[in-house]
Amino acid sequence: MAYEVEPPKYVRLARTLQRRIEDGTYAPGSRVPSENQLVQTFGMSRPTVVRALELLKRDGWLESRQGYGTIVRGRPEVVEQKDRRGRAALERDESQGLGRLIEVAHVPVPARIASALGLPKRTEVLVRRFLVTEDGEAVELVSSYFPAGVVEGTELASGQPLSGSTREHIEVRKKFRFDHVIERVSARLPEAREAELLELPDGTPVLSVLVVACDASGRSLQASEVLLPADRQELEDTYRLS
């Protein structure tokens, strides 16, 4: 039996603040409530609040300005540019897309995915791994992870490409409804198998776009990690200095 656990308090608070930035409650350029106000509003300790704010600053949602406090930057540009790829991981029709399904297996949940799905480390989950190619070149490796409670009663464990997206399949078979997604972009070195599939030279990092799809209650239904060769990505941003 799999036991679900909640992510740490500071992560839950960071997600709540992130959603408020995305829905306009905290507009770009505005100041976020003070630490004291956040402590009182959410009933959390100051260390928890500080850690949540630091997480959002690290990921580019907030910034500290001397004399002004903590300012909302808005949705990070790198997330905007990768958003299309994140959504594609949920909407991709495996039977129609460029590329191939390379693995369907029950595996111990990777540590970086466990907290996203709210599962204890080493819990068994289902992974569907899809390699996206363009003109014969590997451009993305998409690994989608599903908790046991989502897999049961579906064809997600089938070794054949699904017709339609995994989101559609889950919503039809399980009557679950995807409500929102949480995305995080980071960089890391690929594992040996990942580097081999993406045909990366030794030491080449990858950009990781982690897309966590949740229902309205906040329960994670699917976590998809999109890996992109960092040496083949180019990001550009224009901003004002103030």
Side-chain angles (χ1 to χ4, degrees), residues 88 122 132:
R122 310 301 293 177
V132 182

Side-chain angles (χ1 to χ4, degrees), residues 3-211:
Y3 295 92
E4 294 192 1
V5 295
E6 289 187 318
K9 287 184 178 180
Y10 78 92
V11 173
R12 302 205 306 270
L13 176 57
R15 290 177 177 176
T16 298
L17 297 176
Q18 178 182 321
R19 287 195 292 271
R20 293 192 177 190
I21 294 171
E22 291 186 303
D23 68 18
T25 301
Y26 302 148
S30 67
R31 294 176 58 182
V32 297
S34 67
E35 291 178 8
N36 286 336
Q37 290 173 318
L38 292 173
V39 166
Q40 294 175 2
T41 299
F42 295 100
M44 295 186 177
S45 68
R46 183 178 298 278
T48 296
V49 169
V50 170
R51 199 169 180 186
L53 293 175
E54 288 301 320
L55 181 60
L56 291 171
K57 291 174 187 176
R58 185 202 70 184
D59 288 350
W61 295 87
L62 303 174
E63 66 175 325
S64 294
R65 291 184 186 174
Q66 188 172 3
Y68 289 90
T70 302
I71 305 299
V72 177
R73 295 184 61 187
R75 188 174 175 81
E77 183 71 16
V78 67
V79 174
E80 290 285 1
Q81 298 209 20
K82 299 308 172 191
D83 180 69
R84 176 184 60 82
R85 300 181 189 273
R87 290 184 178 276
L90 302 178
E91 306 295 343
R92 175 174 288 108
D93 184 334
E94 294 176 345
S95 66
Q96 300 294 325
L98 296 174
R100 67 184 190 276
L101 183 67
I102 59 174
E103 182 183 5
V104 180
H106 289 89
V107 299
V109 61
R112 61 182 177 276
I113 305 297
S115 62
L117 289 177
L119 297 174
K121 294 179 180 179
R122 310 301 293 177
T123 299
E124 189 174 87
V125 294
L126 178 76
V127 60
R128 294 183 68 87
R129 214 177 306 275
F130 194 88
L131 184 66
V132 182
T133 59
E134 292 181 3
D135 298 324
E137 180 183 37
V139 294
E140 296 179 17
L141 179 61
V142 183
S143 301
S144 296
Y145 300 86
F146 306 89
V150 174
V151 175
E152 183 180 358
T154 72
E155 295 180 8
L156 291 171
S158 167
Q160 298 300 315
L162 293 177
S163 178
S165 68
T166 54
R167 172 184 176 178
E168 293 170 340
H169 190 75
I170 292 170
E171 290 188 336
V172 169
R173 294 299 182 91
K174 301 292 290 187
K175 306 304 179 184
F176 295 153
R177 288 292 176 265
F178 285 56
D179 179 74
H180 61 276
V181 299
I182 301 168
E183 292 190 9
R184 289 196 178 176
V185 180
S186 59
R188 65 176 176 85
L189 289 175
E191 298 173 359
R193 178 59 173 158
E194 294 168 342
E196 178 184 355
L197 289 168
L198 289 170
E199 302 173 355
L200 298 176
D202 290 345
T204 302
V206 291
L207 291 180
S208 166
V209 184
L210 180 61
V211 187

